[in-house]
Amino acid sequence: MRLGTVARSGSTQAFRQEAGETVYLPVPDVGALLAGGDLSLPGEPGPAPAPEELLTPVLRPGKILCAGLNFHDHAEEVGQEIPEHPTIFAKYANALVGPVDPIAMPEESEKIDWEAELVAVIGTTVRHADAGRARAAIAGYTIMNDVSVRDWQGRTSEWFQGKNFDRTTPVGPVVVTPDEVDPEAGLAVRCTVDGVRHQDSSTDRMIFSAVQLVEYLTRFMTLEPGDLVACGTPAGVGLAKKPRRIWLRDGQEVVTEIEGIGELRNVCTPAEDLLPR
Amino acid sequence: MRLGTVARSGSTQAFRQEAGETVYLPVPDVGALLAGGDLSLPGEPGPAPAPEELLTPVLRPGKILCAGLNFHDHAEEVGQEIPEHPTIFAKYANALVGPVDPIAMPEESEKIDWEAELVAVIGTTVRHADAGRARAAIAGYTIMNDVSVRDWQGRTSEWFQGKNFDRTTPVGPVVVTPDEVDPEAGLAVRCTVDGVRHQDSSTDRMIFSAVQLVEYLTRFMTLEPGDLVACGTPAGVGLAKKPRRIWLRDGQEVVTEIEGIGELRNVCTPAEDLLPR
């Protein structure tokens, strides 16, 4: 099953896809669908949405929890030990954009980098989960590009300010339920910039699996429907390129793919050229 | 003017206090009042609420942005240079409790510490603010104790997981508008544990003022009504005590005061003894 959110005549609407059929649902987004607790909610059949109609599936996630340093190949390329505990940082919804929206390139930086990531979307309220309950709390998986403003990220010990520029983080295109995709079995994760493939790894190279991250997070906090858990990026980020670092430039197209889920396709656009939302 | 939120017959309600009179308002909390944009909303006069009726003023802030290392005396006690840029980390609403609620002491740690802090409460949507607009965007000030789980905070470079245990962060008792309190003029900030005063500083010793923090944050993100900006803690945290560190223990009462705003009064209570919310 695939769940998504579209823009529709000035409003928004969730949809469900199964066995080639699309059903439009009486809720404004996948977040509301998950909060309602009934994924089989009745709706109206309709044509499959065009890619450009798709919005980020959960419009205003309550939490966007991100794991850093969570791929063996990425920890190695940035010269870090394999960590004993997950490294967690936070984003807020203002950072998000949809699967084909422009990435708002801040003029305050020239060191803007890509980070293809798997995202687990939480479907139930959960605290103190064991592995089984953590697995059951994941409603499905989607894709993020955790576009990172490296100079701001490195200003202090806390990465927050490099990870929260408005409209820099595409998420989508849909949420795919766990019966259709199994990250632990290995899903290809790729990031391509203007046709050059920079990241090409697999979700089975994660240090902590999505299930383990959910289990860990619920040791200290309650997760709720619509919360996102981003699982970290593999090797190939611009920061680690040799002999010199590479950064995103205005006008470039970033394609972020995860096998079995789909792709994000976003053009780097000067933030000052974008209309306020 | 003072704005607050009370529990009322199974629901919640905002109130406003001015010239000794309390008016109960037709909105569920200070967050909804700020989002509505009309602080002079008509309501019903009533008796002043008892301290034990008070909830955290904004029940579910969209963002809780916290500055670390923002007092000259605290940076010194933990051996850090005076930073060039604010250090920012994030909390989510699940961490919050009210001004007289128990602090939920996680059994996963024995290194739980106090951090008295001034909080600016955002009243308008604001981005790219200069100092004047940043000042105008602050609806008022309240108090936080950024209770910190030090061992989890120090597990990785990112402090997030030590700052987001459920129900560890009291905020309140009310939001006081800037015509009544001026942090730049110096408001006493104090934290007392079982009658022993550990923190006793003034908001004029902040490295970045509340207005400067709002200005800085809006360089990269949009702030919205009800967002909280916590301004960092002064010297005197348990982590920096000599000859040995001191931590909070179950049963202790933590009193957090800021001159002109009021106080938080919270008892450290084992998390497992608290009912689920």
Side-chain angles (χ1 to χ4, degrees):
Chain A
M1 190 194 301
R2 304 167 87 80
L3 306 169
T5 301
V6 288
R8 274 295 152 86
S9 53
S11 184
T12 69
Q13 188 168 19
F15 68 87
R16 178 177 61 230
Q17 291 182 307
E18 226 172 352
E21 287 192 40
T22 303
V23 175
Y24 291 88
L25 304 170
V27 286
D29 77 328
V30 174
L33 182 66
L34 294 171
D38 179 13
L39 298 193
S40 60
L41 195 66
E44 301 230 333
E52 61 272 18
E53 289 180 292
L54 295 174
L55 303 175
T56 196
V58 180
L59 295 174
R60 302 278 300 178
K63 309 184 198 79
I64 307 169
L65 303 161
C66 305
L69 300 172
N70 196 35
F71 270 78
H72 287 278
D73 50 12
H74 177 59
E76 191 176 313
E77 74 173 348
V78 295
Q80 298 283 326
E81 302 279 309
I82 301 305
E84 186 184 351
H85 304 289
T87 301
I88 306 294
F89 61 92
K91 284 182 190 270
Y92 293 108
N94 58 287
L96 299 187
V97 293
V100 297
D101 285 340
I103 293 165
M105 300 282 282
E107 62 183 335
E108 294 85 352
S109 174
E110 292 183 345
K111 297 184 175 174
I112 304 169
D113 202 351
W114 54 85
E115 292 199 352
E117 306 205 2
L118 176 77
V119 174
V121 182
I122 301 299
T124 58
T125 299
V126 60
R127 179 84 207 270
H128 295 306
D130 58 15
R133 288 182 59 229
R135 190 177 300 277
I138 297 174
Y141 295 98
T142 190
I143 309 170
M144 170 185 286
N145 199 312
D146 175 22
V147 170
S148 298
V149 180
R150 296 296 189 199
D151 36 5
W152 287 60
Q153 181 183 345
R155 282 185 162 187
T156 73
S157 69
E158 304 307 296
W159 302 340
F160 179 85
Q161 55 195 275
K163 301 288 195 173
N164 276 279
F165 273 79
D166 278 355
R167 302 165 76 175
T168 50
T169 307
V171 171
V174 290
V175 178
V176 182
T177 51
D179 56 310
E180 292 194 18
V181 285
D182 178 7
E184 288 166 51
L187 307 171
V189 181
R190 299 190 189 100
C191 182
T192 304
V193 179
D194 274 356
V196 179
R197 182 161 296 170
H198 289 297
Q199 295 187 289
D200 191 354
S201 186
S202 167
T203 54
D204 60 9
R205 290 180 213 159
M206 284 166 54
I207 297 168
F208 301 100
S209 71
V211 170
Q212 287 172 323
L213 289 173
V214 169
E215 195 179 345
Y216 184 76
L217 289 164
T218 68
R219 288 178 65 187
F220 60 95
M221 74 196 304
T222 303
L223 300 183
E224 293 166 300
D227 287 350
L228 305 186
V229 178
C231 298
T233 203
V237 298
L239 177 70
K241 292 287 178 189
K242 295 183 176 82
R244 70 180 65 182
R245 295 168 172 188
I246 307 174
W247 310 116
L248 289 171
R249 295 190 309 276
D250 292 344
Q252 289 187 315
E253 185 183 54
V254 181
V255 179
T256 315
E257 297 166 84
I258 297 183
E259 187 185 351
I261 303 176
E263 66 176 30
L264 308 169
R265 191 171 282 269
N266 307 88
V267 176
C268 298
T269 305
E272 61 268 32
D273 291 355
L274 296 170
L275 292 174
R277 278 195 296 207
Chain B
M1 190 192 301
R2 304 166 87 79
L3 306 169
T5 301
V6 288
R8 274 293 151 89
S9 55
S11 184
T12 69
Q13 188 169 17
F15 67 87
R16 178 177 60 231
Q17 291 181 309
E18 225 172 351
E21 287 193 40
T22 303
V23 175
Y24 290 88
L25 304 170
V27 287
D29 76 329
V30 174
L33 181 66
L34 295 171
D38 179 14
L39 297 193
S40 59
L41 195 66
E44 302 227 332
E52 62 271 19
E53 289 180 292
L54 295 175
L55 303 175
T56 196
V58 180
L59 295 175
R60 302 279 300 177
K63 310 184 198 77
I64 307 168
L65 304 161
C66 306
L69 299 172
N70 196 36
F71 270 78
H72 288 278
D73 50 13
H74 177 59
E76 190 175 315
E77 74 172 347
V78 295
Q80 298 282 328
E81 301 279 309
I82 301 305
E84 186 184 352
H85 303 290
T87 302
I88 306 292
F89 62 92
K91 284 182 188 271
Y92 293 108
N94 57 287
L96 300 187
V97 293
V100 297
D101 284 341
I103 293 166
M105 301 282 282
E107 61 183 334
E108 294 84 351
S109 174
E110 291 183 345
K111 296 184 176 176
I112 304 169
D113 202 351
W114 54 85
E115 292 198 353
E117 306 205 1
L118 176 77
V119 175
V121 182
I122 300 299
T124 57
T125 298
V126 60
R127 179 82 207 272
H128 295 305
D130 58 16
R133 288 183 60 229
R135 190 177 298 279
I138 297 174
Y141 295 97
T142 190
I143 310 170
M144 170 185 287
N145 199 311
D146 175 22
V147 170
S148 298
V149 180
R150 298 294 189 199
D151 36 4
W152 287 61
Q153 181 182 344
R155 281 186 162 186
T156 73
S157 69
E158 304 307 296
W159 302 341
F160 179 85
Q161 55 195 277
K163 301 287 195 173
N164 276 278
F165 274 77
D166 279 354
R167 301 164 78 176
T168 49
T169 306
V171 172
V174 290
V175 178
V176 182
T177 51
D179 56 310
E180 292 194 18
V181 285
D182 178 8
E184 288 165 51
L187 307 172
V189 181
R190 300 190 188 101
C191 183
T192 303
V193 179
D194 273 358
V196 179
R197 182 161 295 171
H198 290 296
Q199 295 187 289
D200 191 354
S201 186
S202 167
T203 54
D204 60 9
R205 292 181 211 159
M206 285 166 53
I207 297 168
F208 302 100
S209 71
V211 170
Q212 287 172 325
L213 289 173
V214 169
E215 195 179 345
Y216 184 77
L217 289 164
T218 69
R219 290 177 63 188
F220 60 94
M221 72 196 305
T222 303
L223 300 184
E224 294 166 299
D227 287 350
L228 306 185
V229 178
C231 298
T233 203
V237 298
L239 178 70
K241 292 287 178 189
K242 295 183 175 80
R244 69 181 65 182
R245 297 168 171 186
I246 308 174
W247 309 117
L248 290 171
R249 295 190 309 276
D250 293 344
Q252 289 186 316
E253 185 184 53
V254 181
V255 180
T256 315
E257 297 167 83
I258 296 183
E259 186 184 352
I261 303 177
E263 67 175 29
L264 308 169
R265 190 172 281 271
N266 308 87
V267 175
C268 299
T269 306
E272 60 269 32
D273 291 356
L274 296 171
L275 292 173
R277 279 194 296 207

